[in-house]
Amino acid sequence: MWGIADQLRGAMNADDFRDYMLSFLFLRYLSDNYETAAQKELGPDYPKLEVGDRCTPLAVWYTQNPDDTTEFEKQMRRKTHYVIKPDYLWGSIAELARTQDKELLQALQKSFDYIENESFASTFGGLFSEINLNSEKLGKGYIAQNAKLCTIIKAIADGLEKFSTDKDTLGDAYEYLIGQFAAGSGKKAGEFYTPQQISSILSGIVTLDSQEPATGKKKQLESVFDFACGSGSLLLNVRNQIRKAGGTIGKIFGQEKNITTYNLARMNMLLHGVKDSEFEIYHGDTLTNDWDSLREMNPAKMPKFDAVVANPPFSYRWEPTEALSEDMRFKNYGLAPKSAADFAFLLHGFHYLKPEGVMAIILPHGVLFRGGVEERIRTKLLKDGHIDTVIGLPANLFFSTGIPVCILVLKKCKKPDDVLFINAAEYFDKVKRQNRLLPEHIDKIIDTYQFRKEEERYARQVPMEEIEANGYNLNISRYISTAQAEVDIDLETVHTKLTALGKQIDEAAGKHNEFLKELGLPPLP
């Protein structure tokens, strides 16, 4: 798929092409999933086509059973939670592309409109809003645009036919392509993608029992929230870790400000088999808190989450207003400075954490030691016993920045009266210009957090008295020394070796000078 993307996009910007390609992969997934369920539902009535017949079996069934289609669609809504008319299935669209049909563009637009507005019980308005099928990036005029779409869709269809396309494989392909497009778009990638290795650390932490991590994974997470969810990969990683451990997850909640990324997240959820009733992604600004359900003033009705994870934009410039200083999220702590909204993001997520929940957030190191209002917020969080663990990560792990970052683990009720510091900055694998964490590095971090282990130069439990004595500064190097102990040197042994070497040099020079004398050449000085 990535090879096809590279070959087809031509002069088109990678971000623009990403949106087309991922949308087509999403349509393919929805269609496959729907046709598999339809075949199961119709049993022996599901049409068997002749070899070479390129119609979709459902199109044939609809033609043969016009009076039964309404009842069939009702049944399918109950089973799969959505419906796709035969003309809008990937197979029908791919056949139009294969035959270079002039109606492809119009059929594709109708397919997208139908999926947005009619396929699901909850409407997915604007799901394809960033996919402009009439864009001049595809070509000038309808004919050129239609021809370009035929080429792209045919290549994707041909490529997918060679491989197993069960839903897990297509989900993995989608995640892989998001990662590849992120790698290619540099700084912009931070807006929508958390590298899988870091995502695995956050997920590994929040899926452990919050009060007794040593007892292992939770059996159930009722809700998980990511208030800067990007393409949703981090939320899916949490879901995957809980399910892999045999547990269950209730509902997934996410919020995303960027419209393109918000659409990517919704597609990503559906493409990984998360039903439309099992997730809620909101398009809006986290800092101004324009999600109505989160602004509920009644504490009994306000949403609270078992786990909060986030990778918000680092040191984001924002506009703290007078009204925000009275906001329930910030009132007891103060407003983060205009130059860096890091603590505003942290306090937002922390506000919606359940008393027994756990939060893990990625932030720049500045939050550990910067002064002013940030120092006051950090001090209050520490005095109230809410900061559980500080994890320092290596530099250059992100596509968007080379700076080293940290993970803060927060809890509203934590048992130990100390803070666990983990200095993982030196544990990484260097790949070209990017650093990456290997599975053993990730396991070491999670294992150290889970069992609250101490290890020289790597991890230490620091009592609150020591943190207080350091003015509530959390700079990791204050608590874990990374200095290498100097090797003891035995001067007598070194002197003996140097004397022996001096003798060898004198003997060698003497021999050499004898040869030079025989040759009539001047001796060495």
Side-chain angles (χ1 to χ4, degrees), residues 426-442:
E426 295 170 24
Y427 293 79
F428 62 89
D429 184 40
K430 190 161 187 61
V431 187
K432 294 181 184 171
R433 288 170 299 170
Q434 201 82 27
N435 293 334
R436 68 173 180 186
L437 300 175
L438 298 176
E440 56 264 34
H441 301 143
I442 295 166

Side-chain angles (χ1 to χ4, degrees), residues 295-520:
R295 295 170 74 154
E296 173 60 61
M297 299 302 286
N298 182 342
K301 291 181 180 175
M302 185 196 298
K304 295 278 183 180
F305 306 100
D306 286 319
V308 176
V309 287
N311 172 24
F314 301 147
S315 301
Y316 179 77
R317 290 190 71 81
W318 72 312
E319 297 295 331
T321 62
E322 191 64 41
L324 280 172
S325 64
E326 290 300 307
D327 189 291
M328 55 190 178
R329 299 167 295 164
F330 311 130
K331 197 172 180 179
N332 295 329
Y333 294 92
L335 286 174
K338 190 176 186 175
S339 58
D342 301 313
F343 270 114
F345 283 119
L346 181 149
L347 291 172
H348 174 87
F350 189 66
H351 182 75
Y352 296 106
L353 186 67
K354 282 185 182 175
E356 67 282 5
V358 60
M359 172 177 172
I361 181 171
I362 303 168
L363 293 168
H365 272 261
V367 299
L368 302 177
F369 54 79
R370 287 192 296 240
V373 68
E374 291 184 290
E375 184 181 344
R376 293 202 297 278
I377 295 170
R378 183 173 62 244
T379 300
K380 179 159 176 57
L381 285 167
L382 283 162
K383 282 182 173 177
D384 292 349
H386 295 322
I387 296 178
D388 179 87
T389 304
V390 178
I391 303 167
L393 295 176
N396 216 22
L397 290 176
F398 287 82
F399 299 118
S400 49
T401 177
I403 63 167
V405 297
C406 63
I407 295 172
L408 287 186
V409 181
L410 295 103
K411 297 174 184 179
K412 289 195 171 170
C413 305
K414 76 180 180 85
K415 288 193 172 176
D417 187 27
D418 58 38
V419 175
L420 175 65
F421 284 81
I422 300 174
N423 180 25
E426 295 170 24
Y427 293 79
F428 62 89
D429 184 40
K430 190 161 187 61
V431 187
K432 294 181 184 171
R433 288 170 299 170
Q434 201 82 27
N435 293 334
R436 68 173 180 186
L437 300 175
L438 298 176
E440 56 264 34
H441 301 143
I442 295 166
D443 291 346
K444 185 176 173 70
I445 291 170
I446 294 170
D447 190 59
T448 305
Y449 163 79
Q450 181 175 4
F451 299 104
R452 228 166 172 77
K453 289 179 176 178
E454 294 194 291
E455 183 184 321
E456 195 175 351
R457 300 184 70 249
Y458 185 75
R460 186 178 159 228
Q461 294 179 56
V462 179
M464 285 307 298
E465 301 81 56
E466 188 177 339
I467 291 171
E468 186 181 353
N470 274 294
Y472 297 98
N473 184 315
L474 294 179
N475 204 344
I476 297 169
S477 59
R478 288 191 176 221
Y479 305 102
I480 300 177
S481 171
T482 55
Q484 294 276 19
E486 289 188 13
V487 179
D488 288 338
I489 295 168
D490 185 334
L491 288 175
E492 195 175 329
T493 306
V494 172
H495 180 72
T496 307
K497 276 184 183 174
L498 286 173
T499 306
L501 284 169
K503 280 182 184 172
Q504 285 175 25
I505 290 166
D506 290 342
E507 285 171 16
K511 260 187 195 177
H512 196 68
N513 281 338
E514 282 176 28
F515 297 142
L516 292 172
K517 191 177 176 183
E518 282 178 32
L519 294 166

Side-chain angles (χ1 to χ4, degrees), residues 22-23 26 127-128 174 263-271:
L22 294 179
S23 296
F26 174 65
L127 191 62
F128 301 101
Y174 194 87
N263 287 332
L264 268 184
R266 293 192 292 171
M267 286 186 206
N268 208 4
M269 292 293 146
L270 293 166
L271 207 138

Side-chain angles (χ1 to χ4, degrees), residues 27 29-50 53-77 80 82-92 114 119:
L27 178 59
Y29 166 80
L30 281 185
S31 301
D32 277 9
N33 197 40
Y34 187 72
E35 287 176 290
T36 302
Q39 186 170 3
K40 200 171 172 185
E41 180 63 29
L42 293 172
D45 292 338
Y46 192 74
K48 290 182 177 58
L49 304 183
E50 299 289 327
D53 188 339
R54 303 191 77 97
C55 279
T56 61
L58 262 185
V60 173
W61 187 86
Y62 265 65
T63 306
Q64 293 171 349
N65 303 276
D67 298 336
D68 300 329
T69 56
T70 305
E71 193 53 44
F72 166 74
E73 287 179 2
K74 268 189 200 169
Q75 192 63 12
M76 289 301 287
R77 279 193 193 282
T80 61
Y82 67 95
V83 163
I84 303 182
K85 300 275 188 197
D87 287 352
Y88 306 143
L89 291 165
W90 171 258
S92 302
Y114 183 83
S119 277

